[in-house]
């Protein structure tokens, strides 16, 4: 509670100063009992440069920020969300020029990784996890531990080094999650090994590999060339394409185009539902899955992706199959408090204190 209150006070003071002095973006850095506030498009870069190597927390306002090219500190970065909130009127937080994460213990939440402000492609950019560079550098790179990417929007997430106990959840990926140490870059060393990667409650569109390298087979995929002994858990996601690239653990997903080994998945097709021995629903026509008439599964900000009969399509955990089931049900609101209203009475009170009124919104369930 003390930590949440300190975050609220820091954010509110930052917004109050911001409202009096500038219309630019705000980044608040907290570490220990210290709080610093930065303004403008470079506020995130400045806050990152000022942060300690571990335990720093940066909270961003709405708006667009230039970020550090490389994240090399164990840091937490919160935005207001990866899409504009049409209910509260809170715009999203966009970050450009951040491409790589080289440190363990990084948590990023509520951010749209923009390919460039005003970019006409209207697509997010990609993140690379682990040291980039030559083959020798890649072999020397330390594994990444305890990385969390939560409620963000990206195009791809490329893993360049082995990773342990990492999480990607409640996010929108326009293409796929993959390893960049193998084809189409075979000179970069052995395949990336993932130990306990949880991919939960995400929308992952998938891409044709021929769009990356025309010499590869023309197959759609959401997961791309990890070490086949990896332990990857894909749970409560929507996957509009996939491939059998290792014995991953697929549970409670809605999947199009490819049949993978798993339990309690819905595989979209063009027929009446067929139930198999692993409690998968096979070749199911979309009209029997989606609650919205005419839903095609393509992503749009205003879509809920609710399923028609959640009591029928039951997951391994007893909830419904798809984005809205499981521990991390689909929700785009970041877990850190968002200031929706802040009023400071600047007149000195009798005891020398200021009257402060805060209204905040936070996601109560992760």
């Amino acid at each position: 509670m003390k930590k949440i209150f300190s975050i609220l006070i820091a954010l509110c003071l930052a917004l109050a100063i911001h409202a009096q002095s500038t219309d630019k973006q705000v980044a608040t850095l907290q570490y220990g009992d210290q709080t610093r506030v930065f303004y403008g498009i470079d506020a995130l870069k400045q806050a990152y440069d000022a942060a300690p190597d571990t335990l720093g927390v940066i909270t961003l306002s709405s708006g667009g920020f230039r970020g550090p090219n490389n994240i090399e500190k164990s840091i937490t970065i919160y935005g207001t969300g990866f899409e504009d909130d049409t209910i509260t009127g809170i715009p999203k937080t966009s970050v450009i020029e951040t491409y790589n994460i080289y440190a363990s213990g990084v948590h990023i939440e509520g951010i749209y990784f923009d390919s460039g402000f005003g970019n006409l492609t209207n697509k997010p950019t990609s993140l690379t996890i682990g040291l980039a560079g030559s083959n020798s550098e890649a072999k020397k790179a330390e594994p990444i531990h305890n990385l969390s990417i939560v409620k963000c929007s990206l195009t791809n997430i490329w893993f360049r080094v082995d990773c342990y106990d990492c999480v990607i959840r409640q996010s929108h990926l326009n293409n796929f999650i993959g390893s960049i140490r193998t084809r189409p870059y075979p000179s970069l060393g052995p395949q990336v090994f993932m130990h306990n990667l949880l991919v939960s409650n995400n929308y992952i569109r998938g891409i044709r590999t021929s769009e990356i390298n025309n010499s590869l087979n023309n197959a759609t995929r959401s997961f791309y060339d990890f070490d086949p002994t990896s332990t990857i858990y894909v749970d409560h996601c929507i996957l509009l394409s996939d491939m059998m690239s290792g014995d991953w653990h697929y549970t409670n997903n809605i999947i199009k185009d490819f049949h993978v080994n798993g339990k309690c998945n819905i595989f979209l097709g063009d027929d009446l539902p067929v139930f198999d021995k692993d409690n998968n629903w096979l070749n199911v026509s979309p009209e029997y899955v989606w609650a919205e008439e005419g839903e095609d599964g393509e992503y749009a900000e205003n879509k809920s992706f609710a399923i028609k009969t959640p009591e029928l399509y039951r997951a391994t955990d007893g909830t419904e199959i798809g984005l809205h089931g499981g521990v991390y049900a689909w929700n785009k609101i970041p877990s850190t408090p968002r200031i929706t209203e802040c009023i400071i009475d600047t007149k000195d009170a009798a005891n020398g204190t200021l009257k402060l009124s805060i209204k905040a919104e936070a996601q109560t369930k992760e």
Side-chain angles (χ1 to χ4, degrees):
M1 180 60 70
K2 180 180 178 181
K3 180 179 178 181
I4 293 176
F5 184 73
S6 66
I7 292 175
L8 288 172
I9 294 297
L11 286 173
C12 195
L13 290 174
L15 289 176
I17 298 169
H18 169 62
Q20 294 173 13
S21 62
T22 178
D23 292 327
K24 296 181 180 179
Q25 303 86 331
V26 181
T28 303
L29 167 65
Q30 291 179 282
Y31 53 99
D33 295 329
Q34 304 296 314
T35 300
R36 298 181 64 182
V37 183
F38 303 86
Y39 302 102
I41 193 172
D42 291 317
L44 171 57
K45 292 177 69 173
Q46 294 166 359
Y48 175 83
D49 290 341
D53 289 339
T54 60
L55 303 179
V57 178
I58 298 174
T59 306
L60 303 174
S61 69
S62 301
F65 296 83
R66 274 196 289 259
N69 292 157
N70 308 320
I71 296 177
E72 302 180 71
K73 300 177 180 181
S74 299
I75 198 164
T76 296
I77 303 175
Y78 290 110
T80 60
F82 68 83
E83 291 176 355
D84 297 341
D85 192 325
T86 56
I87 296 175
T88 63
I90 299 176
K92 67 177 178 287
T93 297
S94 298
V95 172
I96 63 170
E97 299 180 5
T98 293
Y99 308 115
N100 307 296
I101 297 176
Y102 297 157
S104 294
V106 173
H107 180 97
I108 299 178
E109 184 168 345
I111 289 176
Y112 181 93
F113 284 88
D114 208 318
S115 55
F117 303 145
N119 191 307
L120 297 180
T121 63
N122 197 31
K123 289 184 178 180
T125 191
S126 302
L127 276 180
T128 298
I129 313 302
L131 183 63
S134 68
N135 185 29
S136 60
E137 288 175 328
K139 287 182 177 178
K140 293 177 182 177
E142 293 293 327
I144 298 292
H145 295 259
N146 301 311
L147 167 69
S148 297
I149 297 175
V150 178
K151 299 179 181 180
C152 292
S153 181
L154 306 105
T155 287
N156 307 309
I157 300 177
W158 290 106
F159 286 91
R160 192 65 182 269
V161 296
D162 298 344
C163 294
Y164 294 81
D165 303 313
C166 297
V167 175
I168 303 168
R169 61 176 171 87
Q170 295 159 294
S171 294
H172 169 224
L173 276 79
N174 195 55
N175 290 342
F176 59 80
I177 299 170
S179 160
I180 203 171
R181 273 197 351 219
T182 59
R183 55 179 188 165
Y185 306 101
S187 64
L188 294 178
Q191 290 174 300
V192 169
F193 173 76
M194 308 299 294
H195 178 76
N196 291 344
L197 170 65
L198 174 62
V199 181
S200 178
N201 298 82
N202 300 288
Y203 181 100
I204 304 177
R205 176 63 183 87
I207 190 173
R208 292 187 177 275
T209 57
S210 59
E211 295 179 33
I212 306 170
N213 188 320
N214 289 329
S215 66
L216 300 179
N217 60 352
N218 189 28
T220 57
R221 57 189 71 186
S222 299
F223 295 88
Y224 183 64
D225 283 347
F226 289 104
D227 186 304
T229 64
S230 298
T231 48
I232 300 176
Y233 300 91
V234 186
D235 186 56
H236 284 288
C237 292
I238 292 178
L239 309 170
L240 287 201
S241 63
D242 213 331
M243 64 171 293
M244 296 186 67
S245 177
D247 190 17
W248 314 148
H249 303 270
Y250 289 89
T251 53
N252 314 314
N253 304 290
I254 299 174
I255 302 174
K256 182 182 178 182
D257 287 346
F258 284 87
H259 186 97
V260 296
N261 296 323
K263 294 182 179 181
C264 294
N265 299 288
I266 298 174
F267 294 94
L268 298 175
D270 56 6
D271 207 341
L272 293 171
V274 177
F275 207 50
D276 74 5
K277 63 180 179 61
D278 292 316
N279 297 328
N280 294 301
W281 296 88
L282 309 179
N283 200 32
V284 186
S285 177
E287 65 186 278
Y288 297 109
V289 176
W290 306 115
E292 293 292 329
E293 185 176 352
E295 175 61 69
D296 58 2
E298 293 292 338
Y299 190 83
E301 293 185 9
N302 60 346
K303 289 186 176 182
S304 69
F305 297 106
I307 60 176
K308 180 175 289 187
T309 51
E311 68 279 2
L312 175 64
Y313 298 118
R314 305 308 292 176
T316 56
D317 53 22
T319 64
E320 65 182 80
I321 293 174
L323 291 181
H324 298 282
V327 176
Y328 302 112
W330 179 252
N331 192 299
K332 303 173 189 177
I333 300 174
S335 57
T336 188
R338 304 192 301 182
I339 301 294
T340 58
E341 184 179 51
C342 176
I343 301 173
I344 297 178
D345 187 347
T346 57
K347 297 179 181 178
D348 288 340
N351 60 358
T353 61
L354 295 176
K355 293 181 180 180
L356 176 66
S357 174
I358 299 172
K359 288 184 180 180
E361 173 188 56
Q363 176 61 29
T364 56
K365 183 178 179 182
E366 292 292 320

